[in-house]
Amino acid sequence: MADYDFDLFVIGGGSGGVRAGRLAAGLGKRVAIAEEYRFGGTCVVRGCVPKKLFVYASQFPEHFEDSAGYGWSVGETAFDWPTLVANKDKEVARLEGLYRAGLEKAGATIIEGRAVLTGQHEVAVGDKTYTADKILIATGGRPNPHQALPGHEHCIFSNEAFDLKELPKRIAIEGGGYIAVEFANIFHGLGVDTTLIYRGKEILGRFDQDMRRGLHEAMEAKGIRILCQEVLTNIEKNADGSLEATMKSGKVENFDQILLAIGRIPNTEGLGLERAGVETGVKGEILVDDYSRTNVENIWALGDVTDRVQLTPVAIHEAMCFIDTEFRGQPTTIDHDTIATAVFSQPEIGTVGLSEADAAEKYDELEVYRASFRPMRHTLSGRQEKMIMKLVVDAASRIVVGAHVMGPDAGEMAQLLAISLKARLTKDAFDRTMAVHPSAAEELVTMYQPSYRVKNGERVD
């Protein structure tokens, strides 16, 4: 066996790379992990964590309004954007410190700098080259730069949205996925005149249609303008710093900021993959098998850089499977089936399993259970916002194959629903479960009769 500097060299200090590096080092392996920016990756530094903090901040105006119905007099309120940004930075720094401390405690060697493959077993960082028996690539993804859009250089992306020097008065967001939708709600909640521009017929493609339409209506009711089947065609910067946006329809409007949220692409450019012979796909994603192995026997990849499922918990799960397979002698394939997810919009969406449309393509007959109601927390506040709950059931087996919730704490519910759907429980098991009263979630176990059926893709009332 060749004498290498390390047993494992991890490229990328995000959630997946850090988990793999820490666990391997904890098993006594000689591990190096290289990161060119900050440990924690997209999720901790410029994704899930700061986004959720901004979501919380943007919800307070509605909380202040709702409190009056419960007897509270809040008085005059004011929001300070620099304070939010500064406090967010403190929390991100704290979390990054925990990531570093975990690696150091496990005995991993931390290398700061951009790592580039120079061979099958070689990695260069700056002017130094390291050798490793195994190499794991976990460099994540980045926002699609939309270079085909004239004037794209004047726009911002989700990365920059967290650190703007000042809050804009008017913002346009192009995109209809969860990132675009979440930022539209964040900026609107913070008092920004917000326009969402999306090329499709309805926001949140691939989500259940009831969730998509329900959220669309709720967002518009709040005052967010949504332009579907529309795209930006040109951006020009005015003398006063504002941006003039031209759209496909011919509309021309001015905004203070334009945020592009039209997908993310794998971070593989300039990694030296071709030198090591690692194969990539059409979007630059690293191609891997069910064990996260690339075509090169000693090189693996996981997380967003593989463009399988772009979610932080998925990258962590893939890292655990990699460790089991390569260092614990327990070959473990990755299970990407029935993954719960949430859209931290306002109202929130939590979902797991198949949408009604996808289930209709897979099963001959469905039972669909659907409820729409005003949650109890809105009764005294007077807020008219509705909650939607939906269960999609395979009629033949009675197995619940999809669960979808829109409303307060929907993401929390989705996490627990995921256990039931992963266990392939039947609707009968839901029916036998006692309700927690009074709660919104009790509706999930008290919808005894289907709202309608779907046979051969057609709805039957």
Side-chain angles (χ1 to χ4, degrees), residues 285-343:
E285 74 278 14
I286 296 177
L287 301 177
V288 293
D289 65 11
D290 291 340
Y291 295 90
S292 295
R293 297 187 184 106
T294 71
N295 61 299
V296 180
E297 62 178 1
N298 69 298
I299 300 178
W300 288 259
L302 54 81
D304 291 1
V305 76
T306 66
D307 197 32
R308 288 176 287 183
V309 179
Q310 296 185 16
L311 293 169
T312 297
V314 173
I316 293 172
H317 172 70
E318 291 170 357
M320 299 291 288
C321 293
F322 164 74
I323 293 296
D324 285 343
T325 299
E326 297 304 319
F327 296 114
R328 288 179 172 150
Q330 303 168 2
T332 306
T333 57
I334 297 159
D335 183 3
H336 287 120
D337 185 49
T338 317
I339 298 171
T341 190
V343 181

Side-chain angles (χ1 to χ4, degrees), residues 170-172 195 225 242-243 245 247 253-258:
R170 304 160 299 173
I171 192 168
T195 298
R225 186 166 63 136
S242 65
L243 301 176
M247 304 179 208
E253 298 189 22
N254 285 337
F255 302 97
D256 299 307
Q257 292 283 1
I258 296 175

Side-chain angles (χ1 to χ4, degrees), residues 366-401:
L366 302 175
E367 293 177 353
V368 179
Y369 298 78
R370 185 185 186 279
S372 178
F373 56 94
R374 190 165 61 146
M376 189 175 183
R377 71 167 63 184
H378 293 336
T379 54
L380 296 189
S381 71
R383 189 170 297 280
Q384 297 302 309
E385 196 169 282
K386 293 294 184 71
M387 193 161 192
I388 300 174
M389 293 192 174
K390 185 174 182 179
L391 297 177
V392 181
V393 179
D394 169 30
S397 66
R398 298 278 292 158
I399 291 173
V400 181
V401 296

